[in-house]
Amino acid sequence: MRRPFATPEEAVAELERLYSSATDSLRTALDDFRNHHIIPTEQTRLRFRYPELRVSYFPSGERPSNRRAYAKFASSGVYTTTVTQPSAFQNYLLEQLRPLTAEYGATLEVGYGEQEIPYAYVAESLDELGQGVTAEELARFFPVPLLPAVGDEIADGLRELPEGQPRPLALFDAVRVDYSLRRLVHYTGSDWRFVQPWILLTNYHRYVDQFVQWGLDQLRAGGPYNRLLLPGNLCIDAGHAPGEAAALVAASPWHRSQMPAYHLATPDNQGVTLVNIGVGPSNAKTITDHLAVLRPHCWLMVGHCGGLRLSQQIGDYVLAHAYLRQDHLLDGLVPTDVPIPALAEVQVALQDAAAAITGDCGEALKNRLRTGTVVTYGDRNWELRWRQERRRIDLSRAVAVDMESATVATQGFRFRVPYGALLCVSDKPLHGEIKLPGAASAFYERAVTQHLRIGLAALDLLRNNSETLHSRKLRSFDEPPFR
């Protein structure tokens, strides 16, 4: 049974109430099963459902015109989505709903949907349920994650709607979001609630060391940041002495996580997250599949690449403005003949940040920072196929080669998350300048710290102009109202 609500605030409060009631009912039933082996009835299971938000738009006059890339209707009709963790997503929900009601006159209804909440999304582990309870038993009597119900058909434009059915309100429904929230904990080693909306992705642990040190310096300086959160959910704040902070950093079990994440948070959760995704496009796709449900404001790739031009030097930067996608990881979802555009706001921020951090400008900056096409491979040893690859690289006029940036950009395009890549030349495979220990040390001393700071400075510039960031280039012609 759905109820109408006059304001977004009232609707979100009802989403929170229904979700809390549903998860409490599910936890109570799990406790009853654990302690007394009471099997939930069909009537009981009706209480284990996600709340559903319904937004109706049937204009009587001219449709409002605006330049936003979010909170807008492509056409009139009824739009729905199920919602999980509404308290955590409260600001996002209100940001989307307020313009839809104020400018478009949309009406809001909230009730329970048809999707059941899988028990695994309210119980952290089997240990929490106690001894003597098996996953097989739980799967017989409680809702479980069903793979057919989890997918990206909305984002990929593949969902077929029967005539007269409501249209999707958001890119991700509750089941898809919950799936990714748990995966984020698994891969990054920290609570998904710690993830900040401004994200740096890197492919080398050395950047992590620099980020942690920079974060500690920011806390001591008394700036906008108030916490540095580490894998293992360890927290450092301004009250920690240097020795205590160093001990917490050393104690962090980052090595237990495939893609450890570090979060420099502000009180209003508008800080920066760094994720060490390691090497390869598969990792890049995996983590961005899951980060996307948090609807970040931007993600940037800051990592190493091979320079392909004789004029480049080790330690130079490459600002990617096009991508030759040779990793083939996303070809079935975003065919290679679909262009992945550079986003002007991100490109300008990266270039301005590079000028500010390096102190270079004009020709000096051009000599240090090359703009061009980056070719991304799924095979780290692509050089062994040089005879086959040479012509394609030559035709593309590529200036650098890496393994992640095109995947990061394509995922941003696919999930409507602003993206960009600033890479640092660590070797020149076509010119005999390979990675050697001595050269590597000199490169790191000169370039790595600056490189990370450029990425951070670019995010800071974008944060100061966030209203213009969510580019309409990323919206399709038939887009869900929520970004």
Side-chain angles (χ1 to χ4, degrees):
M1 187 71 177
R2 290 185 300 273
R3 293 174 53 204
F5 290 89
T7 68
E9 290 77 12
E10 291 172 343
V12 172
E14 179 69 359
L15 288 169
E16 293 175 5
R17 188 188 72 80
L18 294 181
Y19 179 77
S20 179
S21 177
T23 52
D24 285 348
S25 295
L26 182 49
R27 290 191 186 96
T28 298
L30 287 167
D31 287 341
D32 288 342
F33 184 78
R34 176 190 63 187
N35 296 322
H36 309 292
H37 207 71
I38 298 174
I39 296 171
T41 65
E42 289 186 15
Q43 192 64 30
T44 301
R45 284 186 60 153
L46 289 176
R47 299 198 295 267
F48 301 165
R49 293 178 295 165
Y50 289 108
E52 182 180 77
L53 173 62
R54 176 174 291 225
V55 178
S56 300
Y57 172 57
F58 294 100
S60 57
E62 187 175 344
R63 181 180 302 149
S65 176
N66 61 68
R67 297 177 59 83
R68 279 194 314 270
Y70 63 94
K72 59 198 303 183
F73 291 106
S75 61
S76 62
V78 177
Y79 298 80
T80 66
T81 189
T82 47
V83 178
T84 187
Q85 301 287 347
S87 294
F89 286 95
Q90 181 188 78
N91 290 338
Y92 168 76
L93 291 166
L94 292 174
E95 179 187 48
Q96 306 301 313
L97 290 173
R98 283 169 176 160
L100 296 180
T101 55
E103 297 175 21
Y104 292 86
T107 59
L108 309 178
E109 296 175 273
V110 175
Y112 280 116
E114 297 299 320
Q115 291 180 337
E116 288 186 307
I117 303 174
Y119 79 86
Y121 297 155
V122 301
E124 294 297 329
S125 67
L126 277 178
D127 292 339
E128 184 180 312
L129 298 175
Q131 299 297 319
V133 178
T134 67
E136 183 181 7
E137 286 181 299
L138 292 169
R140 286 175 60 196
F141 304 119
F142 289 90
V144 295
L146 300 173
L147 291 181
V150 181
D152 288 322
E153 289 82 5
I154 299 172
D156 293 329
L158 299 175
R159 175 165 291 189
E160 297 182 3
L161 292 176
E163 188 69 29
Q165 290 296 306
R167 304 174 70 183
L169 180 64
L171 293 176
F172 307 108
D173 62 12
V175 171
R176 172 66 170 83
V177 172
D178 263 342
Y179 167 81
S180 282
L181 298 183
R182 288 309 176 93
R183 293 285 178 158
L184 282 172
V185 174
H186 171 74
Y187 286 118
T188 68
S190 58
D191 194 314
W192 59 267
R193 296 170 186 83
F194 295 163
V195 177
Q196 304 295 295
W198 304 94
I199 297 173
L200 290 175
L201 305 171
T202 188
N203 57 8
Y204 207 70
H205 190 79
R206 183 66 179 261
Y207 289 87
V208 173
D209 297 335
Q210 298 290 345
F211 182 80
V212 169
Q213 186 57 56
W214 182 81
L216 294 175
D217 292 342
Q218 294 298 306
L219 293 177
R220 295 184 191 117
Y225 304 103
N226 67 336
R227 295 180 301 161
L228 178 62
L229 301 150
L230 311 174
N233 296 329
L234 301 182
C235 177
I236 300 173
D237 60 33
H240 284 95
E244 293 175 313
L248 285 170
V249 172
S252 173
W254 63 268
H255 54 283
R256 297 180 185 174
S257 304
Q258 186 174 343
M259 291 178 271
Y262 301 76
H263 319 278
L264 189 59
T266 62
D268 59 351
N269 279 326
Q270 289 297 310
V272 181
T273 285
L274 176 78
V275 185
N276 179 13
I277 64 175
V279 175
S282 181
N283 278 2
K285 178 184 182 297
T286 296
I287 201 63
T288 49
D289 276 342
H290 303 314
L291 289 171
V293 305
L294 297 176
R295 309 315 295 143
H297 294 315
C298 183
W299 58 47
L300 299 180
M301 178 75 197
V302 286
H304 295 177
C305 69
L308 298 179
R309 298 303 176 95
L310 184 61
S311 59
Q312 290 170 310
Q313 298 182 36
I314 291 177
D316 283 352
Y317 300 116
V318 172
L319 177 56
H321 76 178
Y323 303 91
L324 176 59
R325 294 164 49 200
Q326 290 294 95
D327 57 288
H328 301 302
L329 192 63
L330 289 162
D331 292 5
L333 297 170
V334 185
T336 54
D337 59 355
V338 173
I340 307 300
L343 303 183
E345 299 87 351
V346 176
Q347 299 296 96
V348 169
L350 284 167
Q351 183 167 298
D352 289 350
I357 298 300
T358 64
D360 294 330
C361 60
E363 287 301 315
L365 184 62
K366 288 183 180 180
N367 288 336
R368 184 79 190 277
L369 182 138
R370 185 72 175 260
T371 301
T373 298
V374 175
V375 55
T376 291
Y377 281 104
D379 180 359
R380 177 59 190 87
N381 297 319
W382 63 272
E383 298 98 328
L384 299 179
R385 303 191 313 277
W386 171 236
R387 290 184 180 179
Q388 297 97 310
E389 300 296 333
R390 175 175 180 169
R391 185 167 184 271
R392 188 180 298 272
I393 291 176
D394 188 43
L395 287 173
S396 72
R397 311 298 192 265
V399 300
V401 57
D402 84 332
M403 296 189 69
E404 299 88 20
S405 64
T407 307
V408 169
T410 305
Q411 286 281 85
F413 180 80
R414 180 179 170 222
F415 292 133
R416 291 74 159 171
V417 176
Y419 53 85
L422 183 74
L423 306 174
C424 196
V425 175
S426 61
D427 65 331
K428 295 171 61 181
L430 306 188
H431 305 96
E433 296 185 39
I434 60 175
K435 294 179 181 177
L436 296 174
S441 297
F443 158 65
Y444 290 138
E445 286 294 325
R446 183 164 62 95
V448 171
T449 302
Q450 256 189 2
H451 189 197
L452 178 69
R453 287 175 58 203
I454 292 170
L456 292 164
L459 289 181
D460 200 40
L461 290 171
L462 291 168
R463 180 165 38 200
N464 291 334
N465 296 281
S466 59
E467 285 301 312
T468 65
L469 178 59
H470 293 288
S471 176
R472 289 176 293 164
K473 292 177 184 176
L474 302 183
R475 289 183 64 90
S476 69
F477 62 86
D478 188 21
E479 193 78 357
F482 284 13
R483 76 161 180 87

